């Protein structure tokens, strides 16, 4: 990592908090590295069908656009040749992760959320701390097709969108700002001891419907996501 960032004196402890896209001045030479606790990471697809990452760190927004058609990565408006390797490494927490807001914002239908992961984009978000899901995270191309079922004639054959969420030392959490019936497309893994996939305040927040997961969860322990009435089966809180 230090070599890709030019081996600054005292690296890595000397690196300031920030968003780094390793390059040689012209070409992208690595993935995306973030040092510090991320206030928000919004993944979305712009009007030109380009994968976009908006990363806010210490109240500073960094926008990274992947322009596959022109083989460019645009960082804060500055183009570099090539695309980053498929990993975003965060040395810290990601306190707000999601795609675009639903339209309308108060919708309870995850179908109203625009896509977060462009159809050709394959990415792993690797974080040393916690990852907090606060919005839907959806593929542009649902691999099940429009009918939502695998193994039927409308399954797309050319889709490549894949998302991995990996925490090496924290938990993956659904936060208190997350919408009802949240939709999450991707494979989620928290590898640390006693780390879990869970819902914040699962036993006190109002019923939020379902967690609609297209992918998988790998953790050492299973975290709580909600409560229900043991006699009636009625949902009492959480998901």
């Amino acid at each position: 990592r230090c070599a890709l960032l030019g081996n600054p004196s005292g690296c890595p402890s000397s690196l300031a908090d920030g968003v780094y896209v390793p390059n040689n001045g012209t070409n992208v030479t690595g993935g995306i590295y973030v040092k510090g606790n991320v206030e928000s990471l919004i993944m979305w697809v712009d009007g030109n069908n380009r994968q976009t990452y908006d990363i806010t760190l210490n109240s500073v927004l960094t926008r990274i656009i992947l322009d596959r058609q022109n083989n460019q990565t645009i960082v804060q408006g500055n183009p570099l040749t090539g695309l980053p390797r498929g990993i975003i490494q965060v040395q810290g927490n990601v306190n707000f992760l999601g795609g675009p807001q639903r339209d309308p914002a108060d919708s309870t239908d995850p179908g109203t959320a625009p896509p977060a992961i462009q159809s050709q984009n394959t990415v792993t978000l690797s974080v040393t701390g916690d990852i907090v899901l606060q919005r839907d995270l959806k593929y542009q191309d649902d691999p099940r097709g429009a009918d939502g079922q695998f193994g039927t004639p409308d399954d797309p054959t050319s889709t490549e969108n894949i998302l991995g969420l990996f925490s090496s030392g924290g938990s993956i959490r659904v936060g208190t700002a997350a919408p009802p019936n949240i939709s999450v497309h991707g494979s989620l893994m928290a590898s640390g001891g006693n780390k879990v996939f869970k819902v914040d305040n699962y036993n006190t927040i109002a019923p939020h419907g379902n967690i609609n997961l297209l992918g998988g969860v790998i953790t050492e322990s299973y975290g709580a996501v909600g409560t229900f009435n043991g006699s009636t089966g009625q949902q009492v809180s959480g998901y």
Side-chain angles (χ1 to χ4, degrees):
R1 184 180 303 147
C2 287
L4 288 170
L5 295 173
N7 284 317
S9 177
C11 183
S13 60
S14 65
L15 285 177
D17 285 1
V19 179
Y20 299 87
V21 181
N23 65 87
N24 60 13
T26 303
N27 299 292
V28 175
T29 57
I32 298 171
Y33 176 60
V34 184
K35 184 178 180 184
N37 293 321
V38 173
E39 293 156 39
S40 69
L41 170 51
I42 307 300
M43 301 179 172
W44 57 288
V45 182
D46 75 3
N48 294 311
N49 197 34
R50 302 179 299 185
Q51 179 68 60
T52 304
Y53 302 126
D54 283 348
I55 305 171
T56 301
L57 181 74
N58 297 329
S59 300
V60 176
L61 170 65
T62 299
R63 175 165 291 175
I64 300 172
I65 300 173
L66 309 188
D67 185 348
R68 292 184 178 278
Q69 184 173 357
N70 295 301
N71 191 35
Q72 287 186 330
T73 298
I74 303 168
V75 184
Q76 296 291 76
N78 300 311
L80 295 164
T81 299
L83 299 168
R85 297 170 190 170
I87 192 165
I88 303 172
Q89 173 69 45
V90 177
Q91 197 78 24
N93 300 316
V94 175
N95 294 318
F96 190 113
L97 175 65
Q101 190 167 265
R102 294 178 181 178
D103 185 17
D106 61 353
S107 171
T108 60
D109 178 6
T112 62
I117 306 298
Q118 195 264 349
S119 62
Q120 295 173 291
N121 193 38
T122 300
V123 61
T124 295
L125 174 64
S126 176
V127 179
T128 60
D130 282 3
I131 299 172
V132 187
L133 294 162
Q134 302 277 27
R135 287 186 188 165
D136 304 282
L137 273 176
K138 292 169 54 181
Y139 294 144
Q140 187 176 44
D141 286 350
D142 189 322
R144 301 167 296 182
D147 64 4
Q149 298 182 35
F150 284 115
T152 54
D154 74 338
D155 291 2
T157 58
S158 60
T159 184
E160 299 176 17
N161 39 207
I162 298 174
L163 174 65
L165 301 181
F166 172 67
S167 172
S168 60
S171 292
I172 299 176
R173 299 154 37 207
V174 177
T176 55
N181 300 308
I182 187 172
S183 186
V184 181
H185 294 178
S187 291
L188 288 52
M189 180 176 183
S191 67
N194 298 316
K195 302 302 180 181
V196 295
F197 173 68
K198 64 179 182 178
V199 171
D200 288 346
N201 298 340
Y202 73 93
N203 59 346
T204 58
I205 61 172
H208 270 54
N210 299 321
I211 297 174
N212 300 291
L213 176 67
L214 174 62
V217 173
I218 308 101
T219 59
E220 183 178 63
S221 303
Y222 190 81
V225 298
T227 65
F228 63 95
N229 184 305
S231 299
T232 67
Q234 183 178 5
Q235 189 175 23
V236 174
S237 66
Y239 292 86

